[in-house]
Amino acid sequence: LLKYERDAIRRFDVVSLVSDTDRTFLLDGGQADHVLTCSNGVDLSTLPYHERPESGRVIAFIGNVTSAQNFDACVHFAEDLLPALRAKYGVSFRVVGKIYEAQAEDLRKYDGVEVTGLVESVADAVKDAVIGVCPVRLGAGVQNKVLEYMALGIPTITSTIGLEGLAAQPEKDLLVADTVDEYLQAVGRLLNDRGFALGLARQGRRYVEQHHDWDVMIRPLRERIAKVLEGRVG
């Protein structure tokens, strides 16, 4: 697959990748002017910002859980992280997004896990969520769920892998945690320090507006395609 992807890059006039991490990997550290980095964007009109309830205890996960990396992330959170978080903070875990019924049944076996499946409005499904998590252990590129949390004003905790491809700054735009102890500390800060949680949520929304609005993200790609087409017409 790697050989195919690297060969494909040489066959096109313009190539767009979603992160510098992917670009560096596929070019093996080399340079190619026709390869652009255009990160993922979000439709802010469908992701309205609102401040989270003070007394909430719902931790949300948004994503297509039929994918291997997202299902693994949910099982990892429910099995390895949630028991300690429930014991200390009384939180629950809500999984929102496409999922096979067998997967949903597996997740519901864990104490404190709710699975919604597909919903008409993601924003409505997580309106009472006070934290959004991205505990992915597999994958590359940009995690859209992180962008959606921040757009909605949900204070975000992501794994180190989930942060790859983003320019978001830990402690300013979001929090990073991988271990049980790190999650206990991060969740405690967000639940117990209202001012910190609000500040993180507001800065997260600001980050998405500045760096991941779709119109801004795809502008360089549109401009490069226009130049290629102009050259061919000429």
Side-chain angles (χ1 to χ4, degrees):
L1 181 60
L2 176 60
K3 182 179 183 299
Y4 168 79
E5 290 180 335
R6 285 179 171 164
D7 182 62
I9 285 178
R10 295 190 290 268
R11 294 172 177 265
F12 293 87
D13 297 313
V14 181
V15 176
S16 175
L17 302 173
V18 299
S19 75
D20 287 331
T21 300
D22 293 344
R23 189 180 193 279
T24 299
F25 178 72
L26 290 177
L27 293 178
D28 199 19
Q31 297 296 319
D33 292 339
H34 73 295
V35 180
L36 309 178
T37 298
C38 298
S39 187
N40 286 359
V42 289
D43 182 0
L44 295 175
S45 67
T46 65
L47 299 168
Y49 174 92
H50 83 270
E51 295 181 351
R52 303 289 116 183
E54 290 188 47
S55 60
R57 284 294 185 271
V58 175
I59 295 178
F61 179 96
I62 298 171
N64 176 6
V65 189
T66 64
S67 70
Q69 64 268 27
N70 280 340
F71 183 61
D72 173 80
C74 289
V75 171
H76 167 53
F77 190 87
E79 187 170 287
D80 302 326
L81 304 171
L82 185 60
L85 294 173
R86 281 182 63 74
K88 188 163 186 177
Y89 302 116
V91 296
S92 61
F93 182 45
R94 181 178 301 157
V95 178
V96 179
K98 184 179 179 181
I99 187 170
Y100 298 124
E101 185 54 37
Q103 293 176 318
E105 291 177 2
D106 286 341
L107 288 175
R108 291 188 182 112
K109 293 176 184 177
Y110 295 99
D111 185 42
V113 176
E114 172 192 358
V115 181
T116 70
L118 283 174
V119 295
E120 287 190 17
S121 170
V122 169
D124 288 343
V126 296
K127 185 165 281 188
D128 58 341
V130 292
I131 297 171
V133 291
C134 177
V136 294
R137 302 186 291 184
L138 313 166
V142 173
Q143 295 291 326
N144 280 4
K145 61 182 65 61
V146 173
L147 303 181
E148 292 173 352
Y149 299 146
M150 292 195 288
L152 289 166
I154 306 176
T156 303
I157 305 173
T158 182
S159 64
T160 302
I161 289 177
L163 185 62
E164 290 182 2
L166 295 173
Q169 298 180 38
E171 300 293 324
K172 179 183 177 183
D173 305 314
L174 42 61
L175 297 178
V176 177
D178 294 296
T179 67
V180 173
D181 287 342
E182 289 170 346
Y183 262 94
L184 285 169
Q185 181 180 16
V187 169
R189 292 172 70 188
L190 294 173
L191 293 181
N192 297 325
D193 189 337
R194 176 70 170 171
F196 175 73
L198 285 175
L200 198 74
R202 290 166 182 165
Q203 185 57 42
R205 172 70 186 204
R206 191 173 299 117
Y207 166 79
V208 171
E209 290 174 344
Q210 293 175 349
H211 297 280
H212 292 277
D213 181 89
W214 266 126
D215 287 339
V216 176
M217 286 298 97
I218 64 174
R219 189 176 301 147
L221 179 59
R222 291 200 305 262
E223 292 174 350
R224 184 63 63 87
I225 291 174
K227 287 183 180 179
V228 170
L229 294 177
E230 288 172 4
R232 291 185 173 179
V233 171

